[in-house]
Structures are given as C-alpha cells and as structure tokens.
Amino acid sequence: MTTLQMTAPASKTFSGHTFSVDSVRQDFPILATMARGRPLVYLDNAATTLKPKSVVDAVEKHLLLGASNVHRGVHYLSEKATAEFEASREAVRAFLNAKEKAEIIFTAGTTASINLVANSYGSMLKPGDEIVISAMEHHSNIVPWQMLCERQGLVLRVAPINDRGELLMDEFEKLIGSRTRLVAVVAVSNALGTVNPIKDIIDLAHSRDVPVLLDAAQAVAHMPIDVQALGVDFVAFSSHKLFGPTGLGVLYGRRELLDRMPPFLGGGDMIKSVTFAKTLYADLPAKFEAGTPHIAGVIGLGAAIKYVQTVGLQQIAAAEAELLEYGTKRLKEIEGLKLIGEAQHKTSILGFVLDDVHPHDIGTILDQEGIAIRAGHHCTQPLMDRFKVPATARASLAFYNTKHEIDALVAAIIKVQRLFA
C-alpha cells in the first residue's frame, strides 16, 4: 500500500521548520478532554476535524467585537466585517489556486455545493443526458443526481470499483459517451480512504468535452487541490473538514460555467435590480449567495486555512502517512479483523469489521475507553452493499493523532473481542 504523498517521521524538518505533534496538540485544547474518565482519543476526523484555538479566537473576536452584516452596510462595523469576509474568500481562492475570487462561492456545506450544481447546471440538461459517478460516492454525491434524473429524465451511470476499493478506470472510461454531460466523483473516499486518480479522471472527461465536479470534502485537509493544475470545473468542500466551523461550505466553479448557470436561490444580495416585472441578477459570486451568509464561519474558515498553511500541508501529509502505515500494520495484527479499503493510494482512514461483532457494538465499547470512532454506513450505503457488510467501524486520523493513540485503539479492539468471545 502506498500512502498519500510521503512517509516521514513526525519530527522531520521541512523548509527549516520542524513538525512536532506535541506542539500542534497544544493548539487543540479539546485534546486534553477526559472522556468517560479516560484521556480522549479522537479518531473521528473524517466526520469532522477538531478546531484549533486560532479558529475559535477568530470567530469569537468577530462575534464579540465586529458582528455586523456584510456588503450592504456603509457604517464602520459593516465595512470591517465585509473586509474580513472577503479576505477569507481570497484565502480560499489562493488555497485552491483559483484564477479569481469570483469563482469562490460560499454555501452551507459540501452537500449544499453539490446541490447548487445539480439544480443550476443540471437545469440546463435534457432528457436522455447522462451523469457519471463512482460506486464509492457519499450520499451527497448520489442523491442530488438521482433527484435531478427523476425530475428531468436523465440517466445516472455508476463506475465500479475493485475489492481493494479502487476505481476501475477501464470501466469508467466506457461509461463516458456522447450523452455524458457531467462526471461527479469523490477525490478521497470517506469510508475507504481511497485517493482517486483525479487528474486522470479529469483529463479523460475533458478529452470528450465533459466537465468534472470534484467532491473534495475528505481531500482538502490532507492534500493540495490546485484547480488550475487539475483543470477541474467544479470543486466542493466543507469548512468543518478543514479545521473550520460547521455549517459552511465552498463551491469553486470555472467562471465560464458559472456565468452560464442560473441562480439556485433567490433573495437578497444576489440581484442588481428588482421590479415586479423582472429581476436582474448580480455578478459573480453574489449571484449564488442569496441572503445573509455565515459570516463568522467564513472568517473562521479563513483562520483555519491560515493555520493549515502555517503547519504546512507537506508536514501534515507526512505525519498522517506515517500514522496510516503504523495503524494499518497494527490492525492487521488483530486476528479476526478485516480492513475494508486497501487501495494502493489512500489517506488516513482505517475502516474495518470484526468477526461476530457489529460495528455499533465496537464503537460503543471503544467509547467507554475514551476512544471516539465512527460506526455505521458512513452515508455510503451502496458502497457497504458492494463489500457485503451492513456497516464498518472507522478510525480516521489527523496530524494531531499519535502512535500511542493507535496502540490504545488496538488494545480496546482486543478488549472488544474478549467481551464477545
């Protein structure tokens, strides 16, 4: 198995800076929590990442000292909030290497971003047109397309995967035909950890003039997403998967496509003028940002991006690669445990099943040991069906986790086995 990007000690020096897990853990006060009378071991990062103090401070500062609506006010507080809000948009633009800020749309989350594309870009499609997704998609990248297909008579095609959890590219290529109008695929599987060959997917789709939407919810905290280098058309991700506040998402879209697409929601701030006869819509990005936005969340996301850039995605990837390699080795030592998802290229997700023990029981018992994991279908029920399991237990790692915490996980799983023996 090849882990994402590189494998390196957590104390390795990069560009004159030393990464220290002990140091970064100090940035996350919640890691000092006692859970069920034991030190918290947080291994549920694929569900949501923890928030560094700098992000909480940025949100608190805005709410306490700068709370005001943005864009429409002419007073000091509104101008200050607007400047901070738009500075965060610029931070997202730079983070994704988009050409311009107008290509960055703030939404309520990855799900909202995908629904925006489904309802806006999708409204321009015709009966018989096809959309291609993969068998490892999250429900948020399945259900909106199913709803669109039912509403407009479209056809949804699903690219299969192999037993390791890897996309079968030959089969994927066969699905892209003359009626394909969009490819929507996950960059990193939230249940398997599989890192898809997104550049190959995009190049293949573009060779047939098909745009691509990338669900990057699980990717942005672990690997760089350069939209210009990839040539991708749409990218969706959530703030809370990137150490930022919940209830906030981002949609990147190429201007050429966004300009053609009609607004998804109507209301305040997305208009140039309104009469009872006709409404003229605002320019990008306001056209897709109706109503008062999640201002504190946007400011918090800007702080989260600054934090990630300070630590460094290279350092983060290296630390997580080492943890994934160690965790994979330790879990494979447990007799009766089966990993679900062993792609050659994957990131820090360890999904597994245990002989004769339901994942919900595993999660409940681990919780009594102070260990937080996720148990269930992870909003990927078709994927669970593919592997013929009702659910998995999932330990998902971040750069602030440690090998000691993985050892604690292994010890707790062995305790589960003993209880059910």
Side-chain angles (χ1 to χ4, degrees):
M1 177 185 67
T2 302
T3 51
L4 179 64
Q5 297 225 1
M6 69 192 79
T7 300
S11 59
K12 186 174 177 62
T13 299
F14 297 87
S15 304
H17 300 284
T18 300
F19 175 87
S20 165
V21 68
D22 291 333
S23 177
V24 298
R25 285 177 69 86
Q26 298 303 311
D27 298 331
F28 297 84
I30 196 172
L31 290 172
T33 299
M34 297 296 290
R36 314 295 186 192
R38 298 174 181 272
L40 172 67
V41 176
Y42 186 78
L43 301 176
D44 195 20
N45 295 284
T48 194
T49 52
L50 303 180
K51 319 307 172 194
K53 191 173 185 299
S54 59
V55 169
V56 177
D57 288 346
V59 172
E60 181 183 49
K61 181 179 178 182
H62 166 73
L63 293 175
L64 288 177
L65 302 176
S68 177
N69 214 329
V70 294
H71 297 147
R72 296 185 286 273
V74 295
H75 57 79
Y76 168 76
L77 286 180
S78 180
E79 290 180 351
K80 181 174 181 290
T82 299
E84 292 175 352
F85 184 90
E86 292 302 328
S88 288
R89 194 190 305 274
E90 169 58 25
V92 176
R93 184 213 63 77
F95 187 68
L96 297 178
N97 192 31
K99 286 183 180 179
E100 52 182 315
K101 288 199 304 179
E103 296 178 319
I104 304 301
I105 312 297
F106 290 123
T107 70
T110 302
T111 301
S113 294
I114 294 172
N115 274 274
L116 190 161
V117 177
N119 282 273
S120 180
Y121 176 83
S123 70
M124 302 187 292
L125 304 185
K126 300 177 181 179
D129 286 346
E130 298 177 356
I131 296 168
V132 176
I133 62 174
S134 82
M136 67 179 77
E137 300 304 320
H138 189 281
H139 293 168
S140 63
N141 202 33
I142 300 174
V143 179
W145 308 117
Q146 289 178 328
M147 294 170 68
L148 178 65
C149 289
E150 292 172 1
R151 190 165 63 244
Q152 293 186 208
L154 310 183
V155 179
L156 188 64
R157 304 289 190 190
V158 183
I161 61 176
N162 63 21
D163 290 341
R164 292 168 61 89
E166 298 163 325
L167 188 63
L168 295 173
M169 287 297 291
D170 290 345
E171 297 299 317
F172 174 80
E173 183 174 2
K174 292 176 185 177
L175 292 177
I176 304 179
S178 61
R179 297 305 301 268
T180 306
R181 297 294 179 262
L182 182 72
V183 169
V185 66
V186 69
V188 174
S189 166
N190 71 303
L192 305 172
T194 301
V195 179
N196 276 321
I198 53 179
K199 179 60 174 171
D200 293 342
I201 291 170
I202 294 164
D203 289 347
L204 174 60
H206 284 182
S207 71
R208 302 180 186 185
D209 297 321
V210 176
V212 177
L213 179 145
L214 191 65
D215 174 356
Q218 292 295 332
V220 288
H222 307 284
M223 57 190 284
I225 300 292
D226 185 325
V227 297
Q228 292 193 68
L230 290 171
V232 68
D233 303 282
F234 299 105
V235 174
F237 72 89
S238 296
S239 165
H240 75 100
K241 302 292 179 75
L242 187 61
F243 315 102
T246 57
L248 175 71
V250 169
L251 174 67
Y252 158 80
R254 283 197 302 111
R255 174 181 272 278
E256 297 92 325
L257 290 172
L258 294 176
D259 279 338
R260 288 170 46 205
M261 291 160 51
F264 173 34
L265 299 174
D269 213 29
M270 50 76 68
I271 56 90
K272 284 184 177 178
S273 67
V274 176
T275 69
F276 286 117
K278 185 177 179 60
T279 293
L280 298 178
Y281 303 128
D283 296 329
L284 294 172
K287 182 171 79 168
F288 293 106
E289 292 183 352
T292 297
H294 186 2
I295 301 167
V298 169
I299 291 170
L301 175 58
I305 288 173
K306 181 178 180 180
Y307 178 81
V308 168
Q309 291 171 330
T310 298
V311 177
L313 271 174
Q314 185 183 27
Q315 290 92 318
I316 288 172
E320 292 176 347
E322 183 175 350
L323 287 170
L324 178 61
E325 183 177 15
Y326 182 76
T328 301
K329 175 179 177 294
R330 289 301 321 273
L331 288 184
K332 283 187 171 183
E333 294 170 354
I334 302 174
E335 187 175 352
L337 184 148
K338 179 183 178 182
L339 288 172
I340 304 295
E342 295 190 76
Q344 182 179 4
H345 300 287
K346 66 175 292 185
T347 188
S348 50
I349 288 174
L350 295 165
F352 62 93
V353 292
L354 202 59
D355 284 351
D356 302 321
V357 186
H358 194 281
H360 289 164
D361 292 324
I362 298 172
T364 299
I365 295 170
L366 263 56
D367 175 60
Q368 298 303 311
E369 301 295 313
I371 301 172
I373 66 163
R374 183 71 42 160
H377 54 64
H378 317 297
C379 292
T380 58
Q381 284 184 297
L383 181 64
M384 296 294 110
D385 292 341
R386 165 62 180 81
F387 283 96
K388 297 180 173 59
V389 296
T392 65
R394 183 188 69 188
S396 49
L397 310 166
F399 64 97
Y400 42 64
N401 290 126
T402 67
K403 291 180 180 179
H404 176 74
E405 291 179 322
I406 293 173
D407 292 338
L409 170 67
V410 170
I413 293 171
I414 292 172
K415 181 175 181 178
V416 171
Q417 285 183 315
R418 289 171 180 165
L419 287 172
F420 280 84

